[in-house]
Amino acid sequence: MDFETIIIEGTLILKIKGELDQYNADRYRLRFDMKIVSPEVQKVVIDISELSFMDSSGVGFLVGRFRTAKAFAKELVLVCNSNYINKLLSTCGIEKLIKKYTTIEEALS
């Protein structure tokens, strides 16, 4: 898994690429949470449009980041345009919990 973070006008954009599995979720959980709780961040956009694989640990990772953001009164949304990942998120009911967009531009507006 590879990731990059960008902060634009109070919005933290986390771009995750590759595989989001148990190994990677455990490695990056604390790093992402530290960025999410930063006082300069009001909104969090997690871009998973370049994920090639995600398992149940990846789903748990997203739900955990949502809970962290919510605990600090911050909005969290997802960007995803992969049919495979969208189907997984829909099956798990994530779409009922976290707003999802197809592009970063939509998520930022």
Side-chain angles (χ1 to χ4, degrees):
M1 180 174 97
D2 185 29
F3 76 93
E4 66 179 87
T5 60
I6 306 164
I7 297 179
I8 301 173
E9 297 177 7
T11 299
L12 172 65
I13 302 172
L14 301 171
K15 297 184 84 166
I16 306 173
K17 303 173 186 177
E19 298 183 357
L20 184 51
D21 54 16
Q22 182 178 3
Y23 174 74
N24 290 317
D26 289 344
R27 284 179 53 204
Y28 293 108
R29 183 173 285 116
L30 185 58
R31 277 192 209 171
F32 283 174
D33 282 350
M34 290 175 64
K35 292 180 183 298
I36 290 170
V37 302
S38 170
E40 65 184 302
V41 173
Q42 288 87 41
K43 181 177 181 178
V44 180
V45 176
I46 299 181
D47 182 358
I48 55 173
S49 58
E50 294 186 47
L51 278 184
S52 58
F53 175 80
M54 182 167 65
D55 64 8
S56 59
S57 295
V59 173
F61 175 86
L62 295 176
V63 172
R65 303 312 51 84
F66 171 77
R67 288 182 178 158
T68 299
K70 187 175 179 180
F72 286 84
K74 299 174 188 216
E75 179 185 11
L76 185 140
V77 300
L78 296 175
V79 174
C80 181
N81 56 17
S82 162
N83 288 335
Y84 161 71
I85 301 295
N86 280 329
K87 191 173 197 174
L88 178 63
L89 295 175
S90 179
T91 301
C92 295
I94 298 297
E95 294 175 331
K96 295 176 185 175
L97 186 65
I98 305 172
K99 287 184 185 177
K100 188 172 60 68
Y101 299 93
T102 56
T103 66
I104 289 180
E105 291 77 20
E106 286 177 2
L108 292 175
S109 64

